[in-house]
Amino acid sequence: MKYLKQIQTKTLCLLSLVSIVLFGCERDLPADAPLATFPNIADVFTDVPVNLTDEFFISFDPSGGANVNGFGTDENEAYQGTTSIRIDVPAANNPDGGFIGGIFRDRGEGRNLTQYDALTFWAKGSTTGTIGEVGFGADFLDDKFPVSRSNIQLTTDWKKYVVPIPDASKLTQEKGMFLFAAGGLDVLGDGPNGNEIGWTFWLDEIRFENLGTNLAVNTEILNGEDQVVEAFTGSNITISGLSQTVNLGTGENVNINIAPAYFDFINSNSSVATVSESGLVSVVGSSGTTTITAILNNIQANGSLEVTSNGQFPSAPIPTRDASNVISLFSDAYTNVPVRHYNGFFEPYQTTLGGAGSDPNNVDIQGMLPDGSLDNIINYTQLNFVSIGTYETVQLVDASTATHLHIDINVRETIDAADFIRLELESGTFTGTTANGSFVLSSAALSNVNSDGWASIDVPLASFSGAVDFSSLGQLFFISDGTISNIWVDNVYYYNE
């Protein structure tokens, strides 16, 4: 066993690119001047790395949990020749990182892969383990054309594996020659829980080939779904779920994950929204509808995105109260206290949807304020009751010095005279409630709105019925009993007037 002595590490997704401006004499090229071409070297690794960087394994970032210690070459194992690549996959609890993975990058300016239709390699495992991801096209520079297969099942004998190229005409200058990522084995079969054990696998004869037998049988964007969304001017939507199923000619169908740049996106109305080659849809119009579809190598992909613009985002009033007087549960204007949930999904009696999770930056609507900053909003639908819970956080909310509860509510439907939302405060933990109290917002209060439809509500805490212990608040409930079913909620906080 002979390990490589140096391993270069780099983050998978670079957050920024360095712009280089070249100054020099200008020269007009003839109209028929040949375009620059790049070598069409097929081999990536045989007994040695072929035209790869000296430190040819470039690891995923260790700060993200990648282990850089298990990569090497093995002169005692090979499918063909004398040497293979050996990967010692760490256990999940390894202090140096719980998974291993990275890329091989071309030594030069890239390769012309247009004459090939697949990346192939031979592999075997010390046991019947699974490689989480294998592919090519990631170079840790532009990462424009990555393709990968997920969950490659190995055997203990050498076997050839294929990663099809969805459209080789795009790969005129590709630097990302190989990618892999693998984690420990779940020997107990109880799912990922940190008990996965280490194992070993070997790779050999990695190269690009023209098999001539690949046949695309299904191509998808958005996982093949026809999605319909409404969005506001300035908002962005990412087209995800990009894949293709390919028959290899051996009878085996394999599924590959594909980068957006392989697709040609078709936009029916660019005055409503634009779509970039990276699959980012940007809403630019104040009204109208557009439908976005995609073609891959002359194949129409299943799935579409219909986007309707609702115009400028009707943001809630921006709070101006001094942060030192505020205890915030949900607002972009303040630092929020720890929150267990924005929807507890208390089955079977609760029907309310929306507000999943506890991260205020991962909720239902993300609009843009005039200054360009994001405004997150909870959208509760099918509302009968729902709570914002803090009872399993670091500590219960102590609002004993506060005088008011503030909430901005935008009712997204017609309000009838009998409609209401009852606010209820609950003290203590979920299983140890000490007291609760309520305050009813009538249809009149909810109808007193600004031009964007927001009702800014300030309720004196003294107005809540019951003997609430404001020093240990565990939940704030919104209860409509189905009289109102669709609301936006923003800027939920206690404050001292």
Side-chain angles (χ1 to χ4, degrees):
M1 179 67 187
K2 177 179 65 180
Y3 281 105
L4 301 180
K5 294 183 179 179
Q6 291 182 307
I7 296 176
Q8 176 182 356
T9 59
K10 195 166 212 179
T11 307
L12 176 62
C13 296
L14 298 181
L15 299 180
S16 61
L17 296 175
V18 178
S19 297
I20 302 176
V21 181
L22 300 178
F23 296 94
C25 299
E26 295 185 359
R27 181 178 62 178
D28 294 330
L29 295 176
D32 59 350
L35 296 176
T37 59
F38 301 90
N40 60 355
I41 302 169
D43 289 344
V44 178
F45 181 92
T46 52
D47 280 338
V48 294
V50 180
N51 205 53
L52 301 180
T53 54
D54 292 335
E55 299 168 355
F56 75 92
F57 173 56
I58 307 174
S59 175
F60 293 149
D61 192 351
S63 67
N67 190 310
V68 302
N69 301 319
F71 181 89
T73 55
D74 193 337
E75 295 177 343
N76 298 315
E77 279 283 356
Y79 167 72
Q80 186 172 308
T82 62
T83 308
S84 67
I85 294 171
R86 173 171 172 159
I87 310 297
D88 291 322
V89 183
N93 60 359
N94 190 303
D96 294 328
F99 79 97
I100 187 169
I103 67 166
F104 304 167
R105 185 195 294 155
D106 183 68
R107 172 187 292 276
E109 292 300 312
R111 302 186 192 183
N112 185 333
L113 303 178
T114 56
Q115 71 185 70
Y116 308 114
D117 62 13
L119 167 75
T120 67
F121 62 96
W122 289 79
K124 64 175 287 188
S126 59
T127 184
T128 54
T130 299
I131 309 177
E133 186 175 17
V134 174
F136 65 90
D139 57 16
F140 292 174
L141 299 171
D142 297 327
D143 291 331
K144 189 174 182 180
F145 293 113
V147 175
S148 67
R149 284 181 59 182
S150 300
N151 300 321
I152 302 289
Q153 180 70 55
L154 301 188
T155 70
T156 55
D157 294 321
W158 286 104
K159 179 181 176 181
K160 186 176 184 178
Y161 298 88
V162 176
V163 181
I165 298 175
D167 184 357
S169 69
K170 304 278 189 179
L171 304 181
T172 58
Q173 187 184 0
E174 181 55 56
K175 296 181 182 180
M177 297 293 98
F178 191 69
L179 172 147
F180 75 91
L185 293 178
D186 177 20
V187 293
L188 299 178
D190 54 357
N193 55 15
N195 294 323
E196 295 77 20
I197 65 171
W199 62 295
T200 298
F201 66 90
W202 292 264
L203 302 167
D204 201 3
E205 302 303 311
I206 305 171
R207 59 172 52 90
F208 292 93
E209 293 190 61
N210 185 16
L211 301 177
T213 55
N214 295 341
L215 176 64
V217 296
N218 185 53
T219 304
E220 295 182 346
I221 65 172
L222 301 167
N223 298 314
E225 300 175 353
D226 294 319
Q227 297 186 7
V228 178
V229 299
E230 295 184 6
F232 299 100
T233 304
S235 60
N236 296 314
I237 305 162
T238 299
I239 296 179
S240 58
L242 310 173
S243 67
Q244 188 173 67
T245 302
V246 180
N247 184 280
L248 301 182
T250 60
E252 179 185 11
N253 286 340
V254 300
N255 190 71
I256 53 176
N257 309 303
I258 307 173
Y262 283 99
F263 289 82
D264 294 317
F265 293 103
I266 311 301
N267 186 0
S268 68
N269 190 346
S270 59
S271 66
V272 175
T274 61
V275 56
S276 71
E277 66 174 5
S278 65
L280 183 67
V281 178
S282 300
V283 181
V284 296
S286 59
S287 62
T289 298
T290 188
T291 300
I292 296 169
T293 55
I295 294 173
L296 173 61
N297 201 12
N298 298 318
I299 299 174
Q300 180 69 50
N302 296 317
S304 65
L305 178 67
E306 180 184 293
V307 180
T308 297
S309 174
N310 287 333
Q312 293 298 318
F313 176 67
S315 60
I318 300 174
T320 58
R321 290 188 172 89
D322 190 327
S324 64
N325 296 324
V326 169
I327 303 169
S328 179
L329 300 182
F330 180 84
S331 178
D332 293 304
Y334 303 109
T335 299
N336 300 310
V337 299
V339 171
R340 177 190 183 273
H341 65 252
Y342 292 104
N343 186 341
F345 296 100
F346 299 136
E347 297 178 345
Y349 306 106
Q350 180 186 334
T351 61
T352 308
L353 302 177
S358 60
D359 184 352
N361 297 312
N362 186 27
V363 290
D364 307 306
I365 298 174
Q366 192 171 70
M368 185 173 293
L369 298 175
D371 65 359
S373 60
L374 296 177
D375 185 24
N376 296 286
I377 290 176
I378 299 172
N379 182 197
Y380 291 130
T381 60
Q382 302 182 38
L383 175 66
N384 64 338
F385 71 90
V386 70
S387 78
I388 298 176
T390 55
Y391 54 80
E392 285 182 1
T393 56
V394 177
Q395 61 184 22
L396 298 172
V397 174
D398 182 359
S400 58
T401 61
T403 58
H404 290 74
L405 168 66
H406 176 91
I407 304 173
D408 290 317
I409 297 178
N410 192 322
V411 179
R412 308 301 293 173
E413 61 189 54
T414 301
I415 300 176
D416 297 326
D419 290 349
F420 69 91
I421 292 177
R422 185 168 71 251
L423 304 176
E424 187 164 304
L425 292 176
E426 184 177 87
S427 305
T429 64
F430 184 65
T431 57
T433 302
T434 58
N436 56 40
S438 62
F439 182 89
V440 176
L441 302 175
S442 65
S443 60
L446 298 169
S447 301
N448 183 20
V449 298
N450 65 12
S451 59
D452 287 326
W454 288 95
S456 292
I457 298 168
D458 295 278
V459 182
L461 295 184
S463 299
F464 278 84
S465 64
V468 182
D469 183 357
F470 293 106
S471 68
S472 58
L473 296 177
Q475 292 194 87
L476 166 62
F477 281 89
F478 299 79
I479 303 169
S480 76
D481 288 342
T483 61
I484 292 174
S485 64
N486 189 351
I487 63 173
W488 291 355
V489 175
D490 200 359
N491 300 319
V492 183
Y493 58 84
Y494 304 99
Y495 68 93
N496 181 31
E497 189 174 59

